[in-house]
Amino acid sequence: MSVKIRLQRHGKKGKPFYWIVAADARAKRDGKFLEKLGTYNPTANPAIIDLNLDKAVQWLHNGAQPTDTARAILSYKGALLKHHLDGGVRKGALTQEQADAKLAKWLEEKAGKVDAKKDGLSKKQAEAKAKALKAEKEANEKRLAKAAAAETVEEVAEEVENVADETVAEVTETVENTVEETVAEVTEAPAEEAVAEVAPEVEAAAEEAPAADEASEEAEA
């Protein structure tokens, strides 16, 4: 029986989650499997891989062939390296202690690279967050400045309107006063002139009246 180490799809739509399994090559991708070796979550950054290293290496020793994706995962977790080192131990090229030391050193270096990647991602996220906060702050300042400018324009417009109303009221009052004075002058002037013209005639008639009365009295005597 030909055995493959491959991924079996699980998880919701749009959020894939895989099992790493050893299965019969003739079985369907998501069908029956011989043994579950671990899990793989590609949605995280970096991806989260949980692998039983000893079981995966044992299946490699038994001739299981990984798919391309599974091979990349096994290489990332050191399973292929351990499989290679175990082959060297069997051939007598190195001792088990030497093989274990080489594997431990490689795993330590790999963990350091993963931690460095995580630190880099955290730094980038912090920078992106700071940039977003700065952009939001600038946008808020612009909105406040715009609101303040609009308020100032409204205040100026109100002040101009008040000044215009006061000016119109003053001009109206001045015009009304001028019209009243002009009407008064036009109404009073002819009467005064007429009185001035008639007064001499009245005075003359008054002076002539006594003289006429005296003449009449003399004629009767």
Side-chain angles (χ1 to χ4, degrees):
M1 179 180 64
S2 177
V3 178
K4 280 187 173 292
I5 299 176
R6 64 189 182 192
L7 302 183
Q8 189 177 80
R9 169 77 186 248
H10 292 270
K12 298 179 181 180
K13 184 178 180 180
K15 295 182 179 180
F17 184 81
Y18 298 93
W19 288 3
I20 305 169
V21 299
D24 188 341
R26 294 169 296 180
K28 294 181 179 180
R29 187 197 68 174
D30 297 334
K32 293 182 179 181
F33 57 89
L34 302 174
E35 188 175 14
K36 180 181 177 181
L37 305 178
T39 58
Y40 168 55
N41 181 9
T43 59
N45 189 12
I48 300 175
I49 301 172
D50 182 17
L51 179 69
N52 188 321
L53 187 62
D54 293 333
K55 287 184 178 182
V57 172
Q58 187 60 46
W59 278 105
L60 291 173
H61 290 345
N62 294 336
Q65 296 296 316
T67 62
D68 292 341
T69 304
R71 180 180 295 277
I73 292 174
L74 295 177
S75 176
Y76 183 82
K77 297 300 289 185
L80 296 181
L81 176 61
K82 182 172 174 55
H83 174 57
H84 174 73
L85 292 173
D86 287 349
V89 172
R90 287 194 300 269
K91 293 177 182 179
L94 67 167
T95 65
Q96 187 63 50
E97 290 76 11
Q98 290 174 333
D100 292 342
K102 286 178 179 286
L103 180 62
K105 182 180 179 180
W106 185 90
L107 291 174
E108 183 179 356
E109 291 177 352
K110 187 68 174 181
K113 291 179 180 179
V114 172
D115 291 339
K117 183 178 180 180
K118 288 181 179 178
D119 293 340
L121 291 174
S122 298
K123 185 178 180 180
K124 287 182 179 180
Q125 289 176 354
E127 291 176 352
K129 185 177 180 180
K131 187 176 181 180
L133 290 174
K134 183 179 179 181
E136 184 178 359
K137 183 179 179 181
E138 291 177 352
N140 290 335
E141 290 177 352
K142 288 181 180 179
R143 283 196 293 268
L144 291 174
K146 187 176 181 180
E151 185 176 355
T152 301
V153 170
E154 290 179 358
E155 291 178 354
V156 171
E158 184 178 357
E159 185 176 352
V160 169
E161 185 177 356
N162 292 336
V163 172
D165 292 341
E166 292 177 359
T167 303
V168 169
E170 292 177 357
V171 170
T172 302
E173 184 179 359
T174 302
V175 170
E176 290 178 351
N177 293 336
T178 303
V179 170
E180 290 177 357
E181 292 176 358
T182 303
V183 170
E185 291 177 358
V186 170
T187 304
E188 294 175 358
E192 293 177 355
E193 292 177 357
V195 170
E197 293 177 357
V198 174
E201 296 178 0
V202 172
E203 291 178 356
E207 290 177 355
E208 292 177 356
D213 289 341
E214 292 178 356
S216 175
E217 291 176 356
E218 290 176 358
E220 290 178 357

Coordinates of all heavy atoms in Angstrom, one line a residue, residues 40-85:
Y40 N -2.3 22.5 10.7 CA -1.7 23.6 10.0 C -2.7 24.7 9.8 O -3.8 24.4 9.2 CB -1.2 23.1 8.6 CG -0.8 24.2 7.6 CD1 0.2 25.2 8.0 CD2 -1.3 24.3 6.4 CE1 0.6 26.2 7.1 CE2 -0.9 25.2 5.5 CZ 0.0 26.2 5.9 OH 0.4 27.2 5.0
N41 N -2.5 25.9 10.3 CA -3.4 27.0 10.2 C -2.7 28.1 9.4 O -1.8 28.8 9.9 CB -3.7 27.6 11.6 CG -4.7 28.7 11.5 OD1 -5.2 29.1 10.5 ND2 -4.9 29.4 12.6
P42 N -3.1 28.2 8.1 CA -2.4 29.2 7.2 C -2.9 30.6 7.4 O -2.4 31.6 6.8 CB -2.7 28.7 5.8 CG -4.0 28.0 6.0 CD -4.0 27.4 7.3
T43 N -4.0 30.8 8.1 CA -4.6 32.2 8.2 C -3.8 33.1 9.2 O -4.0 34.3 9.1 CB -6.1 32.1 8.7 OG1 -6.1 31.4 10.0 CG2 -6.9 31.3 7.7
A44 N -3.0 32.5 10.0 CA -2.2 33.3 11.0 C -0.9 33.7 10.3 O -0.5 33.2 9.2 CB -1.9 32.5 12.2
N45 N -0.3 34.8 10.8 CA 1.0 35.3 10.3 C 2.0 35.5 11.4 O 1.8 36.4 12.2 CB 0.7 36.6 9.5 CG 2.0 37.0 8.8 OD1 2.9 36.3 8.6 ND2 2.0 38.3 8.3
P46 N 3.0 34.6 11.5 CA 3.3 33.5 10.6 C 2.3 32.3 10.8 O 1.7 32.3 11.9 CB 4.7 33.1 11.0 CG 4.9 33.5 12.4 CD 4.1 34.8 12.5
A47 N 2.3 31.4 9.9 CA 1.4 30.3 10.0 C 1.7 29.4 11.2 O 2.8 29.3 11.6 CB 1.5 29.4 8.7
I48 N 0.6 28.9 11.8 CA 0.8 28.0 13.0 C 0.8 26.6 12.6 O -0.2 26.1 11.9 CB -0.4 28.3 14.0 CG1 -0.4 29.8 14.4 CG2 -0.2 27.4 15.2 CD1 -1.5 30.2 15.2
I49 N 1.9 25.9 12.9 CA 2.0 24.4 12.6 C 2.3 23.7 13.9 O 3.2 24.0 14.6 CB 3.2 24.2 11.6 CG1 3.0 25.0 10.3 CG2 3.3 22.7 11.3 CD1 4.2 25.0 9.4
D50 N 1.4 22.7 14.1 CA 1.6 21.8 15.3 C 1.8 20.4 14.7 O 0.9 19.8 14.1 CB 0.4 21.8 16.1 CG 0.5 20.9 17.4 OD1 1.7 20.6 17.7 OD2 -0.5 20.6 18.0
L51 N 3.1 19.9 14.8 CA 3.4 18.6 14.2 C 4.1 17.6 15.2 O 4.9 18.1 16.0 CB 4.4 18.8 13.1 CG 4.9 17.6 12.3 CD1 3.8 17.0 11.5 CD2 6.1 18.0 11.4
N52 N 3.6 16.4 15.2 CA 4.3 15.3 16.0 C 5.5 14.9 15.2 O 5.4 14.1 14.3 CB 3.3 14.2 16.2 CG 3.8 13.2 17.2 OD1 5.0 12.8 17.2 ND2 3.0 12.7 18.1
L53 N 6.6 15.4 15.6 CA 7.9 15.2 14.8 C 8.2 13.7 14.7 O 8.6 13.2 13.6 CB 9.0 16.0 15.4 CG 10.3 16.0 14.7 CD1 10.1 16.7 13.3 CD2 11.4 16.7 15.5
D54 N 8.2 13.0 15.8 CA 8.6 11.6 15.8 C 7.7 10.7 15.0 O 8.2 9.9 14.2 CB 8.6 11.0 17.3 CG 9.6 11.7 18.1 OD1 10.7 12.1 17.6 OD2 9.4 11.8 19.4
K55 N 6.3 10.9 15.0 CA 5.4 10.2 14.2 C 5.6 10.5 12.7 O 5.6 9.5 11.9 CB 4.0 10.4 14.6 CG 3.6 9.8 15.9 CD 2.1 10.1 16.2 CE 1.6 9.4 17.5 NZ 0.2 9.6 17.7
A56 N 5.8 11.8 12.4 CA 6.1 12.1 11.0 C 7.3 11.5 10.5 O 7.4 10.9 9.3 CB 6.1 13.6 10.9
V57 N 8.4 11.5 11.3 CA 9.7 10.9 10.8 C 9.5 9.4 10.7 O 10.1 8.8 9.8 CB 10.8 11.2 11.8 CG1 12.0 10.4 11.5 CG2 11.1 12.7 11.8
Q58 N 8.7 8.7 11.6 CA 8.5 7.3 11.5 C 7.8 6.9 10.2 O 8.2 5.9 9.5 CB 7.7 6.8 12.7 CG 7.5 5.3 12.8 CD 8.9 4.6 12.9 OE1 9.7 5.0 13.7 NE2 9.1 3.6 12.1
W59 N 6.8 7.7 9.8 CA 6.2 7.4 8.5 C 7.1 7.7 7.3 O 7.1 6.9 6.3 CB 4.9 8.3 8.4 CG 3.7 7.8 9.1 CD1 3.2 8.2 10.2 CD2 2.9 6.7 8.7 NE1 2.1 7.5 10.6 CE2 1.9 6.5 9.6 CE3 3.0 5.8 7.6 CZ2 0.9 5.5 9.5 CZ3 2.0 4.8 7.5 CH2 1.0 4.6 8.5
L60 N 8.0 8.6 7.5 CA 9.0 8.8 6.4 C 9.9 7.6 6.4 O 10.3 7.2 5.3 CB 9.8 10.1 6.7 CG 9.1 11.4 6.5 CD1 9.9 12.6 6.9 CD2 8.6 11.6 5.0
H61 N 10.3 7.1 7.5 CA 11.1 5.9 7.6 C 10.4 4.7 6.9 O 11.1 3.9 6.2 CB 11.5 5.5 9.0 CG 12.4 6.5 9.7 ND1 13.2 7.4 9.0 CD2 12.8 6.6 11.0 CE1 13.9 8.1 9.8 NE2 13.7 7.6 11.1
N62 N 9.1 4.7 7.0 CA 8.3 3.6 6.4 C 8.1 3.8 5.0 O 7.4 2.9 4.4 CB 7.0 3.4 7.2 CG 7.3 2.9 8.6 OD1 8.3 2.3 9.0 ND2 6.3 3.2 9.5
G63 N 8.5 4.9 4.4 CA 8.4 5.0 2.9 C 7.2 5.9 2.5 O 6.9 6.0 1.3
A64 N 6.6 6.6 3.4 CA 5.5 7.5 3.1 C 6.0 8.7 2.3 O 7.1 9.3 2.6 CB 4.8 8.0 4.3
Q65 N 5.3 9.1 1.3 CA 5.7 10.2 0.4 C 4.9 11.4 0.6 O 3.7 11.4 0.5 CB 5.6 9.8 -1.1 CG 6.6 8.7 -1.5 CD 8.0 9.1 -1.3 OE1 8.4 10.2 -1.7 NE2 8.8 8.2 -0.7
P66 N 5.5 12.5 1.1 CA 4.7 13.8 1.3 C 4.4 14.5 0.0 O 5.1 14.4 -1.0 CB 5.6 14.6 2.2 CG 7.0 14.2 1.8 CD 6.9 12.7 1.4
T67 N 3.2 15.2 0.0 CA 2.9 16.1 -1.1 C 3.8 17.3 -1.0 O 4.5 17.5 -0.1 CB 1.4 16.5 -1.1 OG1 1.2 17.2 0.1 CG2 0.5 15.2 -1.1
D68 N 3.7 18.1 -2.1 CA 4.6 19.3 -2.1 C 4.4 20.2 -0.9 O 5.4 20.6 -0.2 CB 4.4 20.1 -3.4 CG 4.9 19.3 -4.6 OD1 5.7 18.4 -4.4 OD2 4.4 19.7 -5.7
T69 N 3.1 20.5 -0.6 CA 2.8 21.3 0.6 C 3.2 20.7 1.9 O 3.8 21.3 2.8 CB 1.3 21.7 0.6 OG1 0.9 22.3 -0.6 CG2 1.0 22.7 1.7
A70 N 2.9 19.4 2.0 CA 3.3 18.6 3.2 C 4.8 18.6 3.3 O 5.4 18.7 4.5 CB 2.7 17.2 3.2
R71 N 5.5 18.4 2.3 CA 7.0 18.4 2.3 C 7.6 19.7 2.8 O 8.5 19.8 3.6 CB 7.6 18.1 0.9 CG 9.1 18.0 0.9 CD 9.6 17.7 -0.5 NE 9.2 16.4 -0.9 CZ 9.9 15.3 -0.6 NH1 11.0 15.3 0.1 NH2 9.4 14.1 -1.0
A72 N 7.0 20.8 2.4 CA 7.4 22.2 2.8 C 7.2 22.3 4.3 O 8.0 22.8 5.1 CB 6.7 23.3 2.1
I73 N 6.1 21.8 4.8 CA 5.7 21.9 6.2 C 6.7 21.0 7.0 O 7.2 21.4 8.1 CB 4.3 21.4 6.5 CG1 3.3 22.5 5.9 CG2 4.0 21.2 8.0 CD1 1.9 22.1 6.0
L74 N 7.0 19.8 6.6 CA 7.9 18.9 7.3 C 9.3 19.4 7.3 O 10.0 19.3 8.3 CB 7.9 17.5 6.6 CG 6.6 16.7 6.6 CD1 6.7 15.4 5.8 CD2 6.2 16.4 8.1
S75 N 9.7 20.1 6.2 CA 11.0 20.7 6.2 C 11.1 21.9 7.1 O 12.1 22.1 7.8 CB 11.3 21.2 4.7 OG 12.5 21.9 4.7
Y76 N 10.0 22.7 7.2 CA 10.0 23.8 8.1 C 10.1 23.4 9.6 O 10.7 24.1 10.4 CB 8.6 24.6 7.9 CG 8.5 25.8 8.7 CD1 9.0 27.0 8.3 CD2 7.7 25.8 9.8 CE1 8.8 28.2 9.0 CE2 7.5 27.0 10.6 CZ 8.1 28.2 10.1 OH 7.9 29.3 10.9
K77 N 9.5 22.3 9.9 CA 9.5 21.8 11.3 C 10.7 20.9 11.6 O 10.8 20.4 12.8 CB 8.2 21.1 11.6 CG 7.0 21.9 11.5 CD 7.0 23.1 12.5 CE 6.8 22.7 13.9 NZ 6.8 23.8 14.8
G78 N 11.5 20.6 10.6 CA 12.7 19.8 10.9 C 12.5 18.3 10.7 O 13.5 17.5 11.0
A79 N 11.4 17.8 10.2 CA 11.2 16.4 10.1 C 12.1 15.8 9.0 O 12.6 14.7 9.2 CB 9.7 16.1 9.8
L80 N 12.2 16.5 7.9 CA 13.1 16.0 6.9 C 14.5 15.9 7.3 O 15.3 14.9 7.0 CB 13.0 16.8 5.6 CG 11.6 16.9 4.9 CD1 11.7 17.7 3.7 CD2 11.1 15.4 4.6
L81 N 15.0 16.9 8.1 CA 16.3 16.9 8.6 C 16.6 15.7 9.6 O 17.6 15.0 9.5 CB 16.6 18.2 9.3 CG 18.0 18.3 10.0 CD1 19.1 18.2 9.0 CD2 18.2 19.6 10.8
K82 N 15.6 15.5 10.5 CA 15.7 14.4 11.4 C 15.7 13.0 10.7 O 16.5 12.1 11.0 CB 14.6 14.4 12.4 CG 14.6 13.3 13.5 CD 13.6 13.5 14.5 CE 13.5 12.3 15.5 NZ 14.8 12.0 16.1
H83 N 14.9 12.9 9.6 CA 14.9 11.7 8.8 C 16.2 11.5 8.2 O 16.8 10.3 8.1 CB 13.8 11.9 7.7 CG 13.8 10.8 6.7 ND1 13.6 9.4 7.1 CD2 13.9 10.8 5.4 CE1 13.6 8.7 6.0 NE2 13.8 9.5 4.9
H84 N 16.9 12.5 7.7 CA 18.2 12.4 7.1 C 19.2 12.1 8.1 O 20.1 11.2 7.8 CB 18.5 13.8 6.4 CG 19.9 13.8 5.9 ND1 20.3 13.2 4.7 CD2 21.0 14.5 6.3 CE1 21.6 13.4 4.5 NE2 22.1 14.2 5.5
L85 N 19.2 12.7 9.3 CA 20.2 12.4 10.4 C 20.0 11.0 10.9 O 21.0 10.3 11.1 CB 20.0 13.4 11.5 CG 20.4 14.8 11.2 CD1 20.0 15.7 12.4 CD2 21.9 14.9 10.9

